[in-house]
Amino acid sequence: MIMLTSWLDIPSDSDFSLSNIPFGIFSIPPEHQRPRCGTALGDHVVDLAVLAEAGLFDDVFPQGRNVFRESTLNSFMQQPRPIWVAVRNRIIQLFQTNGPNHDLESNRELRNAVLHPLMSSSSNSNNNNNVIMHLPATIGDYTDFYSSKQHATNVGTMFRGKDNALQPNWLHLPVGYHGRSSTVVVSGTPIRRPCGQLQKDKDDPKQGSTYGPCQQLDFELEVAFFVGGSSDNNNDNENDSTDNAMSTSTSMSMEKAYDRIFGFTLMNDWSARDIQKWEYVPLGPFTAKNFGTTIAPWIITTMALEPFLVVDDEVDDEVGRTQDPLPLPYLQDATRKSSFDVQLEVAIQGEGMEKAEKICHSNFRHLYWTAAQQLVHHAVTGCTMKAGDLLGSGTISGSTPDSFGSMLELSWKGTKEVPLGDSGHVRQYIQDGDTVVMCGWAAQKEGGGRVGFGSCRGKVLPALPYDGHQLDNEAAAVTASADAPSTETTERYMNLKLYGYWQSSSSWRVRIALEAKAIPYEKVMINVKDMEHQSENYKSSVNPMGQVPALQFEDKMTGKTACLSQSVAIMEFLEDAFPNSTPLMPVDPIDRAYARQMIEVINSGTQPLQNASILKDIEERSEGRIKALEEGHRRIHRGLAAMEKLVKQRQIESHSTKYCMGGFSPSMVDVVLLPQLYNARHLYNVDLDVPFPALAKIEEACLKHPWFSNTHPTLQPGAN
């Protein structure tokens, strides 16, 4: 196997080797910047939105130009597994030493825009001065399982005795319960000690309950996975079409399950053991488990973990992996895949302690029920599984006391003290001020690097009184994920017709936008020289202003034919009506405002004032005192001088000088600017190179770009 190495310096002990390529959501301070999709490589976050903007995913995932600008991974998760694989492989190619793709390595400006320093592994939060990490997805539903036989046996022994440790159903199905997705938070978010009902007399539940803060706060060492792919569980099966059927989906096969697991993340499902003891009969956990669940910011793909896959007979049977009795057929896996060989650790750092001290060490391979079995059983009734749904493994415990995955087990229900390393501190349960730190990694194998999960950490804050005082600033600093934008493909607008003229700069703008967005349309050329645009037929049926361009289309929703005029209005419509096409406007509100400002410098402040018919009218009305050519030259020079300043300022604040907005792909500003530059050179003989070097450089780049070259005026019908 060929060793994967990178031209980027990656420490040998980094969780994020070239063999990993996790996915997450990050932002760069100042905090008003919109979060976007990234991956981690060594000590850097890689901006996938910029890579997509530069066209580096166009041949494997062209929708990435939109998807990777979003503030959650949901849209990417919705893609089929081959897309996940292709994107991951392309990222590896871009960073691989002597790899097949050098587009990033050879472009210094692009590298500077793509790479952002990542926090060190010893950081106490996900946030530093360089990068802020966010929840990776909008979590629609969250389910927690109970899939470690050793953990279930330990807990059952404590509460029911050794002979009745496992409930009769436990060996027949993956036991689980529905959790609360609204309180799933990203690593680094403080957790407030919960209050609730506590059993008054620990030996006599008939004595009732009291209200107060939890006294037995616990962590649970878990690995969770995110569902991906289509919400039709089997994809190739038709949904039940029976009248009034409540089920909206089919069950799922074991074979399909592996294609529906997007990736894994560390999870701490905080537990209030004393609250749980009082409330869990007869329906199971409720408020004891809904106050907080912490997950790591990075999702590790199944592709990265495949080299660490463990089959059944490779698992230590002391932790109970051999499934006896044999599960029902729908839960049987012909591949005999088990779990993954991933080392797991938990450490606690109390207030006043210099560092976090390790208290247990477990392994993901210690699960009896696999992630695929959990997913298949969840969907067996026809439950729809959607991209972004989160499924937790349940506490992962091994067979030795130092591998137990909760304080409940480590302290054996509070009967033993658990030392925090050599610090002199001990614990039975979690105290206020404690920071619980979980980490996980798969060790290096031949040909690959370490595949780590990063860290999952949370600090416990004191409980609040029942009268509900506001949380302090530290507890309130919960990083929330924005709603995932809709990614449904729209076919609402059909049979587009563009009325234009080959020499019209505004018509060229719309042609460029349609080309960029790959929207099919019919060209209807209007002979402006013969005044066809001023005919009553054209004015009454197309554009009352008697101008080009105009865009006519059918609205499938209403069944009506609509027609729009004014090039900027048409392009804004295309941007909104075709959200899955290549974007031409920035996402950030301030950036969009800057783009519109530059657009209007041309659209309102320059182009109308150099229009040949308008200048001719001015010359006639002034009885020749104002010369049309001279006035057009002056107006163009004034507008381009303003644009030169605005573009230079924008480029100073950006990484690239190729296009107007400082990005690596043309924007609507460039779409509006280039036709104006063409007119300036060819109609008014304006010198661009000396007075406007930044604009001239942009002109050169645009003319080489297929959006512009394929729609050039000289290629249009009627051109001469």
Side-chain angles (χ1 to χ4, degrees):
M1 182 182 293
I2 300 175
M3 181 68 179
L4 280 177
T5 59
S6 175
W7 51 263
L8 182 69
D9 184 25
I10 302 175
S12 59
D13 60 348
S14 172
D15 275 352
F16 307 121
S17 68
L18 198 57
S19 300
N20 194 342
I21 314 298
F23 292 94
I25 297 294
F26 77 101
S27 62
I28 306 296
E31 293 184 6
H32 73 263
Q33 286 202 359
R34 183 180 174 90
R36 53 198 182 275
C37 302
T39 186
L41 195 58
D43 295 330
H44 293 84
V45 171
V46 179
D47 193 329
L48 298 183
V50 175
L51 288 180
E53 179 190 331
L56 298 185
F57 296 122
D58 280 358
D59 58 331
V60 295
F61 183 43
Q63 299 91 335
R65 286 177 177 262
N66 279 301
V67 167
F68 291 136
R69 300 199 311 171
E70 294 179 5
S71 57
T72 71
L73 286 166
N74 292 70
S75 293
F76 184 49
M77 290 176 173
Q78 288 173 5
Q79 306 303 315
R81 177 183 168 88
I83 295 296
W84 309 337
V85 174
V87 168
R88 179 175 179 270
N89 288 343
R90 173 53 50 85
I91 296 170
I92 292 173
Q93 291 170 0
L94 289 170
F95 284 94
Q96 189 176 355
T97 303
N98 300 321
N101 192 313
H102 301 281
D103 291 346
L104 179 60
E105 182 182 6
S106 62
N107 189 330
R108 183 177 181 181
E109 281 187 345
L110 185 57
R111 291 200 312 272
N112 290 338
V114 163
L115 296 171
H116 303 282
L118 182 64
M119 64 177 183
S120 67
S121 59
S122 61
S123 173
N124 286 328
S125 74
N126 292 311
N127 306 338
N128 63 7
N129 292 329
N130 299 311
V131 172
I132 299 172
M133 297 304 300
H134 304 264
L135 270 180
T138 295
I139 301 168
D141 286 294
Y142 159 50
T143 300
D144 196 31
F145 284 90
Y146 193 45
S147 295
S148 165
K149 185 177 181 181
Q150 188 64 52
H151 172 68
T153 300
N154 288 343
V155 175
T157 299
M158 291 179 208
F159 291 97
R160 293 184 299 274
K162 187 175 182 179
D163 293 338
N164 298 303
L166 292 180
Q167 297 283 16
N169 66 344
W170 199 95
L171 295 172
H172 296 268
L173 56 84
V175 174
Y177 70 94
H178 295 291
R180 182 74 178 171
S181 61
S182 64
T183 47
V184 178
V185 297
V186 72
S187 173
T189 304
I191 295 294
R192 178 72 64 180
R193 180 179 295 272
C195 294
Q197 288 198 29
L198 309 171
Q199 186 170 314
K200 186 178 294 187
D201 186 325
K202 67 176 183 177
D203 298 320
D204 184 7
K206 293 182 180 179
Q207 296 299 315
S209 63
T210 60
Y211 174 86
C214 166
Q215 301 298 312
Q216 298 177 358
L217 184 60
D218 200 356
F219 66 82
E220 289 188 349
L221 173 60
E222 302 192 28
V223 174
F225 69 89
F226 278 95
V227 176
S230 167
S231 58
D232 178 4
N233 288 341
N234 267 323
N235 296 325
D236 52 359
N237 288 347
E238 293 184 3
N239 291 342
D240 183 1
S241 59
T242 305
D243 290 345
N244 300 318
M246 292 298 293
S247 176
T248 60
S249 186
T250 60
S251 58
M252 187 185 304
S253 67
M254 287 293 296
E255 180 184 7
K256 292 291 183 181
Y258 290 102
D259 291 338
R260 294 295 308 279
I261 298 174
F262 177 75
F264 296 85
T265 188
L266 291 176
M267 186 170 87
N268 180 357
D269 193 31
W270 301 87
S271 295
R273 299 297 184 188
D274 43 359
I275 295 175
Q276 183 175 348
K277 178 183 178 182
W278 170 246
E279 74 176 7
Y280 85 102
V281 177
L283 294 180
F286 183 33
T287 62
K289 301 285 286 183
N290 70 3
F291 62 93
T293 300
T294 304
I295 62 172
W298 295 108
I299 302 175
I300 314 304
T301 66
T302 54
M303 294 80 77
L305 292 175
E306 280 173 356
F308 309 97
L309 186 66
V310 180
V311 297
D312 286 352
D313 54 8
E314 294 177 343
V315 180
D316 181 1
D317 194 44
E318 289 184 14
V319 300
R321 169 56 191 144
T322 301
Q323 294 189 326
D324 182 19
L326 194 66
L328 292 177
Y330 79 94
L331 287 172
Q332 293 176 17
D333 187 352
T335 66
R336 296 168 51 253
K337 293 177 181 177
S338 179
S339 190
F340 300 93
D341 185 9
V342 176
Q343 303 290 331
L344 302 169
E345 285 187 355
V346 181
I348 294 177
Q349 182 174 5
E351 288 190 331
M353 292 176 57
E354 293 183 358
K355 62 177 182 176
E357 296 286 353
K358 184 175 75 172
I359 60 169
C360 69
H361 184 111
S362 190
N363 196 298
F364 191 25
R365 66 193 292 168
H366 292 342
L367 287 184
Y368 185 89
W369 296 105
T370 68
Q373 288 175 318
Q374 293 165 15
L375 181 57
V376 167
H377 183 64
H378 201 311
V380 70
T381 56
C383 175
T384 300
M385 307 304 297
K386 295 183 178 180
D389 286 350
L390 182 68
L391 278 66
S393 63
T395 305
I396 303 172
S397 295
S399 57
T400 58
D402 62 350
S403 65
F404 294 167
S406 66
M407 292 301 295
L408 177 68
E409 296 167 275
L410 291 167
S411 71
W412 206 255
K413 205 169 67 169
T415 61
K416 297 190 297 185
E417 291 184 334
V418 180
L420 303 187
D422 298 325
S423 67
H425 295 270
V426 296
R427 294 288 187 274
Q428 290 173 317
Y429 290 100
I430 306 300
Q431 296 181 5
D432 291 347
D434 284 352
T435 298
V436 178
V437 184
M438 296 179 176
C439 59
W441 70 94
Q444 293 178 342
K445 286 200 171 186
E446 182 180 356
R450 175 181 170 116
V451 175
F453 285 64
S455 66
C456 175
R457 63 178 67 229
K459 181 179 180 179
V460 175
L461 303 180
L464 288 174
Y466 179 69
D467 60 4
H469 295 307
Q470 292 294 317
L471 300 183
D472 58 38
N473 290 335
E474 183 177 13
V478 176
T479 306
S481 120
D483 288 339
S486 170
T487 59
E488 292 184 5
T489 302
T490 176
E491 296 180 354
R492 177 178 171 181
Y493 306 104
M494 306 173 65
N495 300 326
L496 279 68
K497 291 182 181 180
L498 176 62
Y499 293 84
Y501 179 58
W502 74 273
Q503 209 170 13
S504 161
S505 59
S506 297
S507 297
W508 191 9
R509 296 174 186 174
V510 180
R511 291 198 304 272
I512 297 168
L514 289 165
E515 178 80 13
K517 293 177 175 293
I519 301 171
Y521 69 100
E522 176 187 348
K523 293 179 182 177
V524 181
M525 285 299 167
I526 302 299
N527 193 331
V528 172
K529 185 173 290 187
D530 291 344
M531 304 300 289
E532 185 180 356
H533 60 303
Q534 291 296 318
S535 69
E536 288 304 319
N537 180 56
Y538 183 81
K539 287 183 178 180
S540 62
S541 62
V542 180
N543 184 359
M545 282 288 289
Q547 295 176 329
V548 291
L551 184 70
Q552 191 177 78
F553 52 88
E554 295 177 16
D555 186 342
K556 189 176 180 180
M557 181 178 292
T558 64
K560 296 180 180 179
T561 297
C563 194
L564 296 174
S565 63
Q566 303 301 324
S567 61
V568 174
I570 293 171
M571 292 189 293
E572 291 271 8
F573 163 74
L574 296 175
E575 188 82 354
D576 295 336
F578 297 87
N580 292 326
S581 64
T582 299
L584 293 175
M585 289 292 282
V587 174
D588 184 82
I590 295 178
D591 289 339
R592 290 177 79 93
Y594 280 132
R596 288 191 174 101
Q597 173 188 351
M598 286 192 270
I599 287 169
E600 289 307 317
V601 167
I602 299 298
N603 187 58
S604 300
T606 307
Q607 194 270 344
L609 302 175
Q610 55 88 66
N611 183 277
S613 61
I614 293 176
L615 291 175
K616 182 179 179 181
D617 185 60
I618 291 175
E619 183 172 335
E620 291 176 353
R621 289 175 180 273
S622 68
E623 299 179 348
R625 292 191 302 275
I626 299 176
K627 302 299 183 184
L629 189 62
E630 293 176 359
E631 183 66 11
H633 193 286
R634 187 177 72 84
R635 295 289 186 176
I636 291 172
H637 202 282
R638 179 171 176 267
L640 295 186
M643 278 295 290
E644 178 81 5
K645 291 180 180 179
L646 290 172
V647 166
K648 282 184 175 179
Q649 181 60 41
R650 182 73 190 182
Q651 291 178 344
I652 289 172
E653 299 169 355
S654 306
H655 294 281
S656 174
T657 59
K658 194 171 185 179
Y659 300 110
C660 290
M661 291 297 291
F664 295 92
S665 183
S667 69
M668 199 179 293
V669 182
D670 304 282
V671 173
V672 171
L673 174 66
L674 186 71
Q676 183 60 57
L677 298 181
Y678 181 81
N679 280 0
R681 282 193 188 274
H682 293 85
L683 299 182
Y684 294 95
N685 298 316
V686 175
D687 176 26
L688 300 179
D689 301 306
V690 175
F692 312 120
L695 300 186
K697 183 178 179 181
I698 291 170
E699 178 191 36
E700 181 182 6
C702 287
L703 288 173
K704 294 178 181 178
H705 196 290
W707 297 352
F708 301 85
S709 60
N710 292 346
T711 58
H712 198 276
T714 58
L715 301 179
Q716 306 311 307
N720 53 57

